[in-house]
Amino acid sequence: MSDISIQIDQNASSNRSSSHRPSLSERQPASSRKYQPLVYQHKKKDGTTHTFNIGCGCSGEDLIIIASCYITFWSFLLGFFTLLLKGALDTDDSHTMLWSFLYFGIFFSALVTGSVYVGSKEKGKDDCAQNEK
């Protein structure tokens, strides 16, 4: 059998934070990451180059990520609404899906109203506690 020794850094627990994001001192500035915004450079007839910014200073990778997020979101939304429409058309005789949409809407509205009410009560308690100090 071999002996295994484990060394524990005493400062490790004090350096940890609740966030997994790097602190501002650990982040690299944009200049050191070699960030290049997407631009189009056009040479005029007189030999000067004119630069057009594309995508409000975003890089090509940023624009692809943003576009894929939009495409994914709208595809999901289209598919979900298609399923809802199919359910409504399949239960056209008894309107079962329409009634279930109504009940889910009322239930969701009640949850949101309750959450807002409880949140305002909690904020009021916090304000009273701070005023007492």
Side-chain angles (χ1 to χ4, degrees):
M1 292 193 132
S2 65
D3 293 329
I4 298 174
S5 64
I6 298 174
Q7 295 179 355
I8 299 174
D9 186 11
Q10 298 296 330
N11 296 328
S13 62
S14 64
N15 289 339
R16 291 184 190 151
S17 64
S18 60
S19 176
H20 297 288
R21 296 179 68 188
S23 66
L24 290 176
S25 62
E26 295 173 351
R27 293 183 191 164
Q28 296 176 351
S31 61
S32 67
R33 289 185 303 216
K34 297 182 176 86
Y35 182 80
Q36 294 291 326
L38 188 61
V39 295
Y40 172 72
Q41 293 182 347
H42 173 69
K43 283 195 171 189
K44 295 183 178 180
K45 291 182 181 180
D46 60 358
T48 60
T49 58
H50 186 62
T51 303
F52 296 100
N53 290 324
I54 301 173
C56 300
C58 294
S59 69
E61 181 183 1
D62 293 339
L63 293 175
I64 290 171
I65 291 170
I66 292 169
S68 65
C69 287
Y70 274 113
I71 290 169
T72 303
F73 172 73
W74 286 107
S75 297
F76 169 76
L77 201 61
L78 179 67
F80 185 68
F81 284 155
T82 303
L83 286 174
L84 293 178
L85 180 63
K86 180 165 176 24
L89 291 175
D90 287 346
T91 62
D92 193 28
D93 296 334
S94 61
H95 303 293
T96 306
M97 286 298 289
L98 295 178
W99 284 108
S100 65
F101 295 158
L102 175 69
Y103 295 138
F104 281 126
I106 292 171
F107 179 70
F108 177 75
S109 299
L111 282 178
V112 169
T113 304
S115 298
V116 169
Y117 177 74
V118 169
S120 66
K121 287 292 186 182
E122 289 292 323
K123 185 177 180 186
K125 286 180 183 179
D126 290 341
D127 291 342
C128 288
Q130 287 179 357
N131 289 337
E132 289 176 1
K133 290 181 180 180

